[in-house]
Amino acid sequence: MASEADKSSEEVQKSLTNDDEDIVNPWDVVSSSAKGVDYSKLIKRFGSTEIDKELMDRMVKLTGKPTHHFLRRGIFFSHRDMHQILDLVEKKKGFYLYTGRGPSSESMHLGHLIPFIFTKWLQDTFDVPLVIQMTDDEKFLWKDLTIEETNKLAHENAKDIIACGFDKNKTFIFSDVEYISESTEFYKMMCKIQKLVTFNQVKGIFGFTDSDSIGKISFPAIQATPSFSSAFPQIFNGKKDVPCLIPCAIDQDPYFRMTRDVAPRLGLLKPALLHSTFFPALQGAHGKMSASDPNSSIFLTDSDEQIKTKINKYAFSGGKPTEEEHRKHGGNCDIDVSYQYLTFFMEDDAKLADIKSRYTSGKMLTGELKQELTNVLQKLVGEHRERRLNVTDDIVNEYMKSRKLKFEY
């Protein structure tokens, strides 16, 4: 099945004005429902395509590897042109991956891990190069931070990313502040994109106002640039036609609708995308987490005791007010944050299904469900902390050095 034609950025922006619609953009995610964002409506509004069984079966057939549980459970739920990427795989032709991180705090939280866990699986499964953009310039423009601070945070966050296990020979992590000043080709591509997007267009896509700085207005072109292989001549040997696949949360899609709008006018390939759902805040799925609110999520630096305390104190429950009522009527997994977190991090399908059945029937209490999650997250975060301790500044510099990767073009 071919992907649907992209809706223009202006069409999508007009659809965001309805009061009954969820608000989804790169800076705000707000849902009026305790169940969170209605992703089926979002697919229709954005003009993307649902990841269906046909697409997943095709991935299994081409790679010989099982489907990632993020795909099986609809955590990555939407795509643009993924079938075209698989056409290339079928023809033994390559592509590359691009994802990113906006460094606004010293530690990343669990929600930040989602695209990197999945991107690592994609890299391992398809054996392709990966570029990771650290948008330290963006965080300087949007946050009350100096550019020196955001650049330092980029290097700190890179340690968490490297601790996910990316192969150094296949992965280039770069800071905008550092790389743009040294790469003529990146800057030239950025300028070409800037020339093709008007002020009215970025106002329509991103909601900028006349009082926003010109830095904010021009930033979307910077995030668009890594979608094109010519921005990385050291990796792709100057080739302009290596296709790009971008795994990201759906709130980043406006950047890449803009990118896909301008790609044909540049004579370049549109990037393909895989969209993930949002990782809910501990307090519930009404919005996404904030790195500035330490109680909205579990951070990758949290101790075992902090993880336990946060889950017990803040994780929104789908259980009933009393044990008697809960035993009689059962809990609601659709709104229970502890269960939702397990769908992300418990890989065992059978065990997850058993937990859902017991909680829904009332056989499992909220405290027991929270203990299951505590066990899973203490192990996951503890192992991540250990790996991160071994990532030195020198190792970060190796990943962030502009260089050729282990691929021939």
Side-chain angles (χ1 to χ4, degrees):
M1 180 192 356
S3 66
E4 296 178 37
D6 291 338
K7 287 192 176 182
S8 75
S9 300
E10 289 82 358
E11 284 177 319
V12 174
Q13 186 61 30
K14 284 176 185 174
S15 75
L16 301 184
T17 59
N18 297 335
D19 291 337
D20 61 339
E21 298 282 12
D22 297 321
I23 297 170
V24 176
N25 63 48
W27 305 283
D28 290 301
V29 177
V30 180
S31 173
S32 57
S33 168
K35 294 181 181 180
V37 172
D38 186 329
Y39 292 104
S40 59
K41 283 186 179 179
L42 212 54
I43 286 173
K44 187 175 180 181
R45 211 165 77 200
F46 282 10
S48 60
T49 304
E50 181 184 6
I51 293 175
D52 57 13
K53 187 175 184 299
E54 179 196 350
L55 181 62
M56 288 188 275
D57 287 347
R58 191 178 178 205
M59 290 175 74
V60 172
K61 183 179 178 182
L62 286 172
T63 64
K65 297 183 180 179
T67 309
H68 196 280
H69 70 277
F70 283 180
L71 288 168
R72 295 197 307 270
R73 296 175 189 166
I75 290 167
F76 273 81
F77 70 100
S78 166
H79 75 97
R80 297 187 190 279
D81 292 343
M82 187 61 194
H83 275 292
Q84 292 183 23
I85 294 292
L86 296 182
D87 289 345
L88 294 168
V89 175
E90 207 163 33
K91 296 171 185 174
K92 311 294 185 189
K93 293 183 178 179
F95 64 95
Y96 74 100
L97 294 162
Y98 156 40
T99 194
R101 161 79 184 129
S104 59
S105 62
E106 283 199 12
S107 174
M108 288 163 51
H109 58 55
L110 286 177
H112 296 139
L113 268 188
I114 304 307
F116 293 110
I117 290 171
F118 190 62
T119 299
K120 183 183 185 305
W121 178 80
L122 288 169
Q123 186 183 50
D124 293 345
T125 299
F126 292 100
D127 190 28
V128 289
L130 163 66
V131 297
I132 300 174
Q133 181 182 42
M134 308 298 284
T135 56
D136 40 8
D137 50 349
E138 176 203 16
K139 293 306 175 186
F140 164 67
L141 292 166
W142 264 269
K143 302 282 185 180
D144 186 22
L145 295 164
T146 68
I147 201 158
E148 289 77 17
E149 286 170 334
T150 58
N151 181 240
K152 182 182 177 184
L153 292 174
H155 283 253
E156 284 300 307
N157 285 185
K159 292 178 181 177
D160 275 319
I161 294 168
I162 292 166
C164 293
F166 291 106
D167 187 332
K168 183 180 70 177
N169 296 315
K170 301 176 183 179
T171 306
F172 174 45
I173 303 173
F174 66 98
S175 140
D176 284 343
V177 168
E178 296 164 11
Y179 184 60
I180 295 172
S181 64
E182 70 175 69
S183 174
T184 304
E185 293 306 315
F186 191 100
Y187 184 65
K188 285 196 292 190
M189 176 54 65
M190 199 175 89
C191 289
K192 289 175 184 177
I193 296 168
Q194 286 173 336
K195 188 172 183 178
L196 292 177
V197 183
T198 68
F199 178 44
N200 275 341
Q201 285 174 319
V202 291
K203 276 170 63 178
I205 299 165
F206 300 100
F208 293 142
T209 67
D210 291 347
S211 60
D212 279 310
S213 72
I214 59 173
K216 288 183 179 181
I217 292 157
S218 62
F219 173 75
I222 301 175
Q223 186 157 321
T225 298
S227 307
F228 304 113
S229 59
S230 54
F232 306 101
Q234 75 281 19
I235 298 174
F236 301 108
N237 199 29
K239 283 198 168 185
K240 299 179 179 180
D241 59 351
V242 183
C244 176
L245 173 62
I246 305 168
C248 63
I250 189 74
D251 61 336
Q252 297 300 300
D253 191 65
Y255 286 112
F256 302 113
R257 287 199 300 272
M258 184 197 82
T259 307
R260 287 168 61 87
D261 283 347
V262 301
R265 295 157 65 198
L266 290 165
L268 298 172
L269 299 170
K270 292 182 178 183
L273 286 99
L274 290 167
H275 300 125
S276 74
T277 59
F278 301 115
F279 190 74
L282 279 168
Q283 290 83 353
H286 288 281
K288 66 177 180 178
M289 291 166 300
S290 168
S292 60
D293 179 0
N295 295 322
S296 70
S297 184
I298 309 296
F299 283 76
L300 301 179
T301 50
D302 283 348
S303 67
D304 285 357
E305 190 58 36
Q306 285 174 311
I307 291 168
K308 181 179 179 179
T309 300
K310 284 184 178 182
I311 291 169
N312 287 335
K313 188 172 182 180
Y314 298 110
F316 186 81
S317 170
K320 298 297 182 286
T322 67
E323 181 178 339
E324 184 183 2
E325 286 180 80
H326 186 87
R327 294 288 190 197
K328 184 177 180 181
H329 300 290
N332 183 354
C333 287
D334 288 340
I335 63 171
D336 191 288
V337 165
S338 295
Y339 176 78
Q340 295 301 322
Y341 276 29
L342 286 174
T343 66
F344 284 85
F345 297 117
M346 180 175 277
E347 294 187 27
D348 188 327
D349 287 344
K351 187 172 182 181
L352 184 68
D354 179 61
I355 288 171
K356 183 174 185 178
S357 173
R358 289 193 290 130
Y359 191 64
T360 303
S361 69
K363 291 178 182 177
M364 175 182 271
L365 298 174
T366 296
E368 295 172 303
L369 178 57
K370 288 188 173 187
Q371 186 58 53
E372 287 278 2
L373 177 64
T374 299
N375 294 341
V376 169
L377 293 188
Q378 284 178 340
K379 182 175 186 294
L380 182 144
V381 175
E383 290 174 354
H384 184 91
R385 281 198 313 264
E386 287 298 313
R387 291 193 301 269
R388 192 186 192 280
L389 284 173
N390 295 319
V391 182
T392 64
D393 290 339
D394 287 341
I395 290 173
V396 171
N397 291 337
E398 289 173 19
Y399 276 82
M400 297 184 78
K401 181 182 178 182
S402 179
R403 67 202 189 282
K404 184 181 183 298
L405 299 180
K406 186 186 172 182
F407 297 93
E408 295 299 329
Y409 289 92

